[in-house]
Amino acid sequence: MAKAFASTKYVYLFGNKKADGDGSMKALLGGKGANLAEMTRIGLPVPPGFTITTEVCAYFYANKRAYPKELRAQMEAGVTNMERILGKKFGDLENPLLVAVRSGARDSMPGMMDTILNLGLNDQTVIALAKRSNNERFAWDCYRRFIQMYGDVVLGVQKRAGEDHEPFETVIESLKAELFPGDKQVEDTRIDANGLKELVSRFKKLVKSRTGREFPENPWDQLKGAIGAVFGSWMNDRAIVYRRKYNIPQEWGTAVNVQAMVFGNTGERSGSGVAFTRDPASGERVFYGEFLMNAQGEDVVAGVRTPEPVRELARKQRASYAELERIRKVLESHFKDMQDFEFTIEEGKVFMLQTRNGKRTGLAAVRIACEMVKEKLIPWPTAITRVPAEQLDQVLAPVFDRAAIRSAKLIAKGLPAGPGAASGKIYFNAERAVEGANSGEKVLLVRIETSPEDLRGMIAAEGILTARGGVSSHAALVARQMGKVCVCGASALHIDYHTKRLDVGEQTFREGDYLSVDGTAGEVYAGQVKTAASEIIQVLLEKSLKPEQSQTYRNYAQLMQWCSQAEGDRIDAMREMILAEKTDDRRRALAKLLPYQREDFAGMFEELSGLPATIRFLDPPLHEFLPHDHAAQTQLAEKLGVSVEKIAKRVHDLHEFNPMLGHRGCRLGIVYPEISEMQARAVFEAAAEVQKQGIKVRPEIMIPLVGFPKELQLQLEVVHRVAKEVAAERKAKFNYLVGTMIEIPRAALIADEIAREAEFFSFGTNDLTQTTLGMSRDDSGSFLGAYAELEIVKQNPFASIDQTGVGKLMEMACALGRKTRPGIKLGICGEHGGEPSSVKFCHRLGLSYVSCSPFRVPIARLAAAQAALEEVKAARGGRK
Ligand code: ADP
Ligand code: MG
Ligand code: MG
C-alpha cells in the first residue's frame, strides 16, 4: 500500500561526503554510479552529482523511449543539490555550472557507451565561464569539446561512407593548416582563444549543415538530449557485440551519471589521468598509470597524445602526486582489490572521477591475489575467487624461446600491455585480420591506434600492436581483458593504412609479412620467433627452471595449495565413504560426493566445449585419503562424529605393504561397484546438464589398472547401465566412449582381448614403467644415479620413456589392439607426455593424442576450488 503514496526513487544524489547510494548498489546505479557514491561516503574528493537508475533505462525501452513522469522533478532536485554545494548555477550567466553526462552499466563496458563533457555551455555561458575563470582560452576549449562530443554522440554528426576522417577532426585539421601552415603535427593545445572561437563557429556550421538544425542552446534541452543518447547507446552495435562476447544480459541496462565538471584543461597546473593501484600487466605492487597535463579525460584514453607515466607527476606536481598516493592506499584498503581509477587535477587539486576493480592479466591476477593475502588485505579463500579459471591459460601460455629470441631482430619497443608471446601475419585493418584468421592463419592486428570498431579484428588476432596510445588506451584495455598479447605505443612504427605498409627504420613490412610481439617486455621483432613453455611448465615438467628462479611459479604453487585446502570439504566426504564398513553407509557417503563430482565434470565439459574430455575413474589406494598421525585422526573423528579408534582401525586395516601394487585402480570399482556407479552418474548427470545449454559433450571414461578382460567387462556394465538410467531420467542422449589404461604388462600382452571391450587405450606410462622395470618411482632415486653413471640406463626412465623395454610393450599393445579394433584410438597420459623425446616416440607409434594435459589440470583444480567455495557460500546464504 505504501507504494501508492511514495513515488519510485529514480535519482540518487552524491556529494559533500553524503550519498543516497553505496558501492553495493551496482545493479541499480551501475558500477560507476555505485562507486561514485561509495567514494563520496568514504570522504574521497568526488565532484557532486546524481545517478539516474537502470530502472529508468528499462522504462525507456519498454515505453517507446519515454521517461517516467517523476524523473524531471527528481533531476531538478539533483541539479539544485549540486548548485548548492558548489555555489554555481546551471545555465547561469555569472557562474555557470557545467556537468558531465556519463553512462555506467553494472559491468564496465570500455569504450562502448558515450560520455559528454562540459554540458551547459552556450554562446552566453561560455562568456561567463571565461570571465569567471579569467581564462578565455580554457572556456572556449571547453565549448569546442562540448560541441564536438555532443554533435557526435547526440546529434549523430559522424563519419559517412566514403569519408576518411571524422567530420569534426577534418574541421580541426583544416583550421590548424591555416593557422600553422607547413606544420604537420600541431597539438590542440597550441590553438589560442581566438582560434578556438573560430573553431566553435565552424563546428556549429558543420552541425547545422549536417542536421539541418541549430546547435541546442538551452542547457536543459542539452541535458535531456544527452541522457537520451546515453540510454540510446545501450542498444548500439558495439555495445551489443560486446555484451554478446561477455554474456552480459540485455535487460540489465545502463545508468546515467550527471556530475559537476572539474577541469583538467585550465592550463599547465591541471591535467587528467588514469591509474591503477598495482601494475595490471605484471601485478607488481607499484603505483601505475599515466596522465596528461592541460587535458580533459578523453584525451588520455583516446590515444591521440601519448601520456606520461604517473611517476613523472612526482616531479611536476609533488603535492598532487602525494595526494594520489594517499588515495591509492585508501582505495585498496577500502575496496580490498586492485583499483583502476580516473582522476582530474584542477589547478593543483585532485578529484576522483571513477574507480572500479581493475582488469588484469592472468599473470597479474595470480600475483595480486597471493600478495594481497600476504598483506592481510584478503583471506585466502577470496584469493581463489580472484583468479578467473580461464585466465590461468595465460599464465600457462608459451613465451618466446630464449635462444630464438636472442637471435631475433628487435625492430621497435613499445609498452608491455598484454603479456605473452605471439607471432603472426600482420594485417592493418580488422576485416582483413578476421579474414586471415578465418582462413586459418595466425594473425597480428597492427593499427596506429585501435577503437571499438576494431573489436572483431582484435578478437581474431593472436596479438595486437599499436603505434600510438598508452597503457590505458583502448588497445591495452581490451587486450588485458581478452588476454591478448599486446604491445602499444610503439612510436617508431610508421603505419600507412592506404598502402598497407609499415615502415620502421630502414625496414618495410607489408600485409601478410610476419612479425612477433612480446607483450611482457613490450618488444617487436621481425619475422616468426619460436615459442617455449611458460615458466610454470618449465619448472613442473621440463625442470629447466628451479622454483626459486620463478616468482610466477611460486605464486602459482601457493594458489594451487589453497585450492587443495578449499577442496578439503570434499575430502571429508571421501573419507566418510572410505570409513564406511557397510555398503549402505558407503552409498550414503557417495551420495554426498556426487554433487562435487558433478560440478567438476560440468565445469570441465563447459571448458572443453565439445572437445573430448577424458575422465579417469578412481585410482589411488583408499588409505591415501586418510590421515595417518594421531592428531589429524582425532581432528577428523571430531569432524565426522566417529571415534578415533574407528579411524585408526580403518587406517590399520587399509594398510598395505606395497600400495602401488595393492587395492587400487579398477580393483576398487570391482570390489565396491557403487563407487564406479557414483562416478558414472556424476559424469552423465553433468553431461546432461551441460548439453542442455547447447554445448556438445564428449566424455571418454577411462578405467585404470586393467589386467584382465573380465575386469573391464564388469566396469563397462556399470557405466552403460548408469548411462541408460540417466538418459531416461533426464531425457538425454550421450555420445561417450569407454576405454582403458594400459599400465600393467599383462594388459599389453593381451591387448587384442582387451580391445574387444575397450574403445580406446591410454598408456599410463608411469605405472607401466614401474611394473615393467619392477622399480618404484619413489624409491628409485637411491640407485638410478649410479645406474646412469655406469651407463646401465641412458636416461631416467621416469622422465623419458624406456623405448627399448617399455616401448616394446607399447608397440606390441598398439599392434594387438589394432588387430581387434582397426582404428582404435590410442594415446598416452602421464608426465612422459610433456617430454620431447617421449612425445616423438609416441608419435612414431602412431598414438593420436598425448594427454599430459598440464594446461587443463590446474584450470580444473581452480574451477573446482571455486565451485567448492560457491557451495559453502550458498549454504551460508541459505541460512540467512
Ligand atoms: P568511460 O566509461 O568511457 O570511462 P567516463 O564517464 O569515465 O567514460 O568519462 C570519460 C572521461 O571523461 C573520464 O576519464 C574523465 O576523465 C572525464 N570525465 C568524466 N566525468 C568528468 C567530470 N565530472 N569532470 C571532468 N572530467 C570528467
Ligand atoms: Mg568513453
Ligand atoms: Mg571512465
Side-chain angles (χ1 to χ4, degrees):
M1 283 314 286
K3 198 107 209 209
F5 298 99
S7 69
T8 315
K9 186 170 173 62
Y10 289 116
V11 170
Y12 284 68
L13 313 188
F14 56 87
N16 225 0
K17 300 199 164 104
K18 284 202 287 285
D20 296 341
D22 64 48
S24 70
M25 299 166 75
K26 297 205 167 59
L28 188 64
L29 304 180
K32 202 180 286 171
N35 276 352
L36 282 170
E38 188 73 21
M39 285 196 293
T40 304
R41 278 169 177 267
I42 62 172
L44 289 174
V46 178
F50 58 84
T51 305
I52 304 173
T53 67
T54 53
E55 281 176 0
V56 177
C57 187
Y59 187 101
F60 181 80
Y61 282 108
N63 292 280
K64 302 205 183 87
R65 304 194 170 222
Y67 299 102
K69 61 180 188 317
E70 303 95 318
L71 183 64
R72 174 79 192 207
Q74 294 186 15
M75 272 174 50
E76 280 169 3
V79 170
T80 306
N81 187 53
M82 279 190 262
E83 291 174 337
R84 198 179 42 75
I85 292 174
L86 297 171
K88 300 181 181 184
K89 266 192 150 29
F90 196 47
D92 194 43
L93 298 187
E94 295 223 338
N95 194 4
L97 168 71
L98 303 192
V99 297
V101 177
R102 317 170 60 192
S103 69
R106 195 186 300 195
D107 269 6
S108 74
M109 292 173 51
M112 293 296 129
M113 313 294 289
D114 300 299
T115 295
I116 295 147
L117 302 180
N118 311 306
L119 187 142
L121 281 174
N122 56 34
D123 291 349
Q124 279 84 50
T125 52
V126 70
I127 292 168
L129 182 66
K131 234 195 242 154
R132 190 87 200 181
S133 62
N134 201 12
N135 187 341
E136 203 180 18
R137 188 196 175 278
F138 150 71
W140 287 89
D141 186 49
C142 291
Y143 197 17
R144 64 99 186 175
R145 285 169 186 271
F146 172 52
I147 298 176
Q148 176 168 357
M149 282 191 204
Y150 198 91
D152 172 6
V153 180
V154 183
L155 306 176
V157 179
Q158 285 162 3
K159 198 161 72 177
R160 290 176 177 161
E163 286 179 344
D164 282 340
H165 301 284
E166 301 293 335
F168 286 107
E169 290 299 330
T170 309
V171 173
I172 297 180
E173 289 311 315
S174 73
L175 180 71
K176 280 182 186 170
E178 289 166 34
L179 294 175
F180 308 95
D183 220 345
K184 271 242 168 83
Q185 295 252 314
V186 180
E187 295 218 333
D188 292 352
T189 43
R190 284 177 60 195
I191 310 176
D192 67 8
N194 283 331
L196 291 168
K197 280 183 197 172
E198 176 59 26
L199 196 55
V200 163
S201 123
R202 290 189 193 182
F203 275 180
K204 286 184 150 191
K205 281 202 197 100
L206 173 69
V207 169
K208 177 84 193 281
S209 80
R210 287 285 177 108
T211 66
R213 279 199 250 159
E214 297 293 343
F215 189 85
E217 288 274 313
N218 180 315
W220 280 98
D221 289 345
Q222 295 173 350
L223 186 55
K224 194 167 167 219
I227 291 168
V230 174
F231 284 138
S233 73
W234 179 251
M235 286 302 208
N236 75 27
D237 288 347
R238 287 181 328 206
I240 291 169
V241 168
Y242 186 92
R243 281 201 291 276
R244 211 172 285 148
K245 175 150 171 72
Y246 291 101
N247 282 324
I248 298 173
Q250 196 122 306
E251 308 80 70
W252 282 8
T254 181
V256 180
N257 300 287
V258 178
Q259 185 182 34
M261 281 296 298
V262 284
F263 301 100
N265 58 332
T266 64
E268 286 305 317
R269 280 181 37 76
S270 303
S272 293
V274 177
F276 297 83
T277 54
R278 303 183 189 220
D279 184 335
S282 71
E284 194 184 344
R285 191 187 178 191
V286 289
F287 189 21
Y288 186 89
E290 53 195 18
F291 72 99
L292 274 175
M293 286 322 249
N294 198 9
Q296 283 199 339
E298 293 288 352
D299 305 343
V300 185
V301 283
V304 179
R305 285 157 70 190
T306 298
E308 296 177 82
V310 86
R311 62 174 178 279
E312 276 297 300
L313 198 59
R315 224 171 34 77
K316 289 197 165 152
Q317 231 179 65
R318 183 156 281 289
S320 298
Y321 184 81
E323 168 71 349
L324 282 170
E325 270 285 8
R326 179 189 76 85
I327 290 172
R328 170 182 171 230
K329 297 209 177 79
V330 172
L331 287 175
E332 280 215 344
S333 67
H334 185 75
F335 289 97
K336 313 242 182 264
D337 198 356
M338 186 265 269
Q339 296 295 296
D340 161 356
F341 65 96
E342 295 172 13
F343 62 92
T344 280
I345 303 172
E346 179 178 325
E347 298 294 327
K349 170 145 180 46
V350 175
F351 291 94
M352 291 295 291
L353 297 175
Q354 186 174 339
T355 193
R356 59 188 168 202
N357 295 335
K359 294 264 171 352
R360 64 206 77 177
T361 62
L363 197 70
V366 174
R367 177 160 181 181
I368 291 172
C370 290
E371 293 189 352
M372 284 196 160
V373 174
K374 262 186 238 144
E375 294 156 24
K376 303 208 168 15
L377 272 178
I378 56 172
W380 67 260
T382 305
I384 291 175
T385 64
R386 289 283 170 81
V387 184
E390 63 278 5
Q391 268 202 347
L392 261 199
D393 259 350
Q394 289 174 38
V395 188
L396 297 165
V399 294
F400 281 130
D401 178 87
R402 281 184 207 181
I405 203 72
R406 235 174 278 132
S407 56
K409 181 161 188 260
L410 180 71
I411 57 166
K413 285 201 112 191
L415 297 167
S423 280
K425 291 191 177 178
I426 59 172
Y427 285 95
F428 297 103
N429 73 56
E431 291 93 285
R432 295 283 299 143
V434 170
E435 282 167 29
N438 285 345
S439 64
E441 293 172 359
K442 292 213 182 305
V443 164
L444 294 185
L445 181 68
V446 180
R447 300 281 298 167
I448 298 173
E449 61 205 273
T450 63
S451 72
E453 281 86 21
D454 298 320
L455 205 56
R456 285 193 178 88
M458 298 169 88
I459 294 170
E462 303 287 315
I464 300 156
L465 172 60
T466 68
R468 267 211 307 246
V471 291
S472 53
S473 65
H474 179 263
L477 212 71
V478 174
R480 264 197 300 279
Q481 190 160 16
M482 298 206 260
K484 297 276 173 188
V485 174
C486 176
V487 172
C488 64
S491 52
L493 307 180
H494 295 280
I495 296 166
D496 188 328
Y497 292 145
H498 276 289
T499 55
K500 295 194 175 149
R501 58 186 271 181
L502 162 69
D503 287 285
V504 51
E506 304 286 273
Q507 273 186 294
T508 299
F509 299 86
R510 295 175 196 278
E511 183 180 273
D513 287 348
Y514 274 99
L515 284 184
S516 299
V517 288
D518 180 336
T520 315
E523 292 168 342
V524 186
Y525 294 89
Q528 235 178 331
V529 180
K530 204 175 125 210
T531 53
S534 79
E535 286 188 13
I536 293 161
I537 302 296
Q538 289 184 38
V539 173
L540 281 179
L541 292 178
E542 301 183 352
K543 315 243 183 315
S544 53
L545 210 61
K546 296 213 169 59
E548 56 276 17
Q549 288 172 305
S550 168
Q551 179 67 48
T552 308
Y553 171 77
R554 289 204 305 278
N555 287 333
Y556 163 86
Q558 174 62 266
L559 187 71
M560 284 298 132
Q561 194 240 313
W562 287 329
C563 287
S564 315
Q565 228 163 308
E567 288 183 274
D569 286 348
R570 89 184 52 195
I571 291 208
D572 286 346
M574 186 80 189
R575 286 166 168 169
E576 237 180 291
M577 187 272 283
I578 294 165
L579 287 170
E581 277 159 16
K582 289 195 277 307
T583 312
D584 276 356
D585 294 341
R586 192 157 36 246
R587 280 190 183 280
R588 254 194 301 280
L590 282 165
K592 279 192 206 162
L593 272 171
L594 177 70
Y596 289 115
Q597 288 257 293
R598 192 174 47 216
E599 274 294 315
D600 287 356
F601 292 144
M604 176 163 134
F605 294 151
E606 273 169 32
E607 177 80 26
L608 291 174
S609 72
L611 295 171
T614 313
I615 294 152
R616 185 194 332 195
F617 273 16
L618 189 65
D619 189 20
L622 296 183
H623 72 88
E624 274 195 14
F625 296 91
L626 293 179
H628 287 246
D629 64 281
H630 186 71
Q633 287 178 357
T634 314
Q635 228 178 11
L636 181 65
E638 266 166 32
K639 221 164 164 187
L640 300 181
V642 298
S643 67
V644 194
E645 291 72 34
K646 180 175 171 175
I647 293 177
K649 176 171 183 299
R650 194 74 181 130
V651 171
H652 183 262
D653 290 347
L654 287 173
H655 172 79
E656 293 176 322
F657 287 103
N658 199 340
M660 184 198 101
L661 303 175
H663 193 178
R664 53 168 287 221
C666 71
R667 297 163 197 173
L668 291 167
I670 301 281
V671 176
Y672 308 120
E674 56 275 15
I675 297 181
S676 303
E677 206 178 291
M678 182 279 288
Q679 293 180 94
R681 183 158 276 279
V683 169
F684 293 114
E685 288 186 357
E689 235 166 63
V690 174
Q691 278 175 187
K692 273 219 182 76
Q693 304 165 32
I695 300 171
K696 282 210 179 76
V697 177
R698 289 171 58 196
E700 300 191 352
I701 293 173
M702 193 159 81
I703 311 293
L705 217 75
V706 164
F708 301 84
K710 184 78 190 267
E711 286 174 322
L712 193 54
Q713 243 172 42
L714 289 169
Q715 291 289 291
L716 277 176
E717 272 170 32
V718 173
V719 172
H720 291 319
R721 175 170 55 76
V722 173
K724 260 197 219 114
E725 284 169 13
V726 179
E729 289 161 20
R730 307 268 172 135
K731 300 200 179 37
K733 262 177 86 174
F734 302 119
N735 175 12
Y736 68 100
L737 297 181
V738 189
T740 184
M741 306 264 305
I742 302 284
E743 50 188 344
I744 50 183
R746 191 176 204 282
L749 294 167
I750 58 154
D752 47 347
E753 283 178 59
I754 304 261
R756 265 186 228 126
E757 311 293 339
E759 290 171 295
F760 65 90
F761 285 171
S762 184
F763 290 96
T765 50
N766 181 33
D767 270 324
L768 192 60
T769 301
Q770 302 201 83
T771 49
T772 303
L773 275 64
M775 270 180 202
S776 124
R777 183 179 58 173
D778 304 321
D779 301 320
S780 58
S782 55
F783 55 87
L784 269 182
Y787 269 43
E789 248 168 58
L790 294 168
E791 293 183 6
I792 298 173
V793 295
K794 281 210 193 74
Q795 268 162 316
N796 179 344
F798 296 105
S800 177
I801 291 179
D802 160 36
Q803 295 182 17
T804 36
V806 174
K808 195 159 179 186
L809 266 177
M810 291 170 70
E811 222 177 310
M812 191 173 125
C814 287
L816 287 173
R818 286 191 179 115
K819 212 167 73 189
T820 309
R821 200 185 277 262
I824 186 172
K825 187 171 173 181
L826 303 166
I828 107 162
C829 75
E831 288 194 17
H832 284 122
E835 192 273 324
S837 75
S838 304
V839 172
K840 268 189 219 142
F841 172 71
C842 294
H843 192 74
R844 271 211 307 282
L845 289 186
L847 302 198
S848 60
Y849 67 96
V850 174
S851 96
C852 76
S853 288
F855 289 87
R856 292 294 158 202
V857 176
I859 291 168
R861 279 183 64 192
L862 183 60
Q866 285 170 350
L869 290 171
E870 278 294 308
E871 280 159 24
V872 173
K873 214 166 78 191
R876 279 204 203 115
R879 256 184 265 130
K880 249 206 308 238

